[in-house]
Amino acid sequence: MEQIKSLDIEQSIGTVTLSDGVTVLSIPKLSVLRLIKIVKWLGVDGSKLYSQFQETLANEELDDLEKFALLLENLEEEQLVKIFSIALDITPEDTLKMDINEMLEIILVYVENLDLGKTYSLVQSLYQKLFKKELPSFQTLLNQIAEQRTAAKEQKEPAQMNGQN
């Protein structure tokens, strides 16, 4: 019985006062169901988006800010806020109504109250088991982009040298 009494049954990890100054949004814990929904979104929609934008990410002629702008420009608003809407258990439409500062405050609540490294690691494991694919870490994605840039530069240099001779 002591074990049951020691269980954490609190359903929220914090609150954020919305920009109207009156409404208080309770920030829910990331339940197993929410995490599975996020993993599913990553596995289905996220994989499609990654494939769709891989060429843009590898484009050596664009700087990082241009790539980011192109990615955002080509995403539907609902895609941008889907993980937020899953985590908060609200519709993408309601999530879109939130102001950027509110969204940043929500991120801060999650960062302050969760072990995001461990959570992401577990999400990676679940993703791999469900979709039989590896979900790269953010650092791995950055490394892949850097490697693609280096390879593209190395290919351009011999071509430029041949053109000069």
Side-chain angles (χ1 to χ4, degrees), residues 4-116:
I4 292 175
K5 289 180 183 177
S6 70
L7 289 177
D8 182 9
I9 56 172
E10 181 65 36
Q11 296 301 309
S12 91
I13 59 170
T15 60
V16 169
T17 302
L18 301 183
S19 56
D20 65 8
V22 177
T23 308
V24 176
L25 178 66
S26 180
I27 308 303
K29 287 184 175 179
L30 291 177
S31 67
V32 172
L33 179 60
R34 286 190 187 105
L35 285 175
I36 289 172
K37 286 181 178 181
I38 289 171
V39 170
K40 179 183 173 238
W41 183 85
L42 289 171
V44 178
D45 296 335
S47 290
K48 289 177 191 172
L49 291 172
Y50 182 71
S51 295
Q52 176 184 345
F53 295 122
Q54 216 167 8
E55 186 176 317
T56 301
L57 293 171
N59 187 340
E60 183 60 33
E61 295 174 9
L62 302 173
D63 66 29
D64 290 338
L65 188 56
E66 291 171 316
K67 289 177 188 180
F68 185 67
L70 280 172
L71 295 178
L72 290 179
E73 182 179 287
N74 289 299
L75 287 175
E76 296 174 21
E77 288 183 323
E78 287 79 13
Q79 291 170 315
L80 284 171
V81 297
K82 186 62 179 178
I83 291 177
F84 267 99
S85 69
I86 293 169
L88 297 172
D89 199 25
I90 59 178
T91 66
E93 294 77 21
D94 286 342
T95 307
L96 284 169
K97 292 176 187 173
M98 298 177 85
D99 136 321
I100 187 69
N101 292 324
E102 294 167 347
M103 295 181 98
L104 289 171
E105 286 184 52
I106 291 166
I107 291 171
L108 284 172
V109 170
Y110 279 118
V111 168
E112 290 169 355
N113 292 287
L114 295 175
D115 182 350
L116 291 178

Side-chain angles (χ1 to χ4, degrees), residues 152-165:
K153 284 181 184 177
E154 288 172 355
Q155 288 176 351
K156 282 184 182 180
E157 288 174 4
Q160 289 174 347
M161 294 174 94
N162 289 338
Q164 292 175 356
N165 292 338

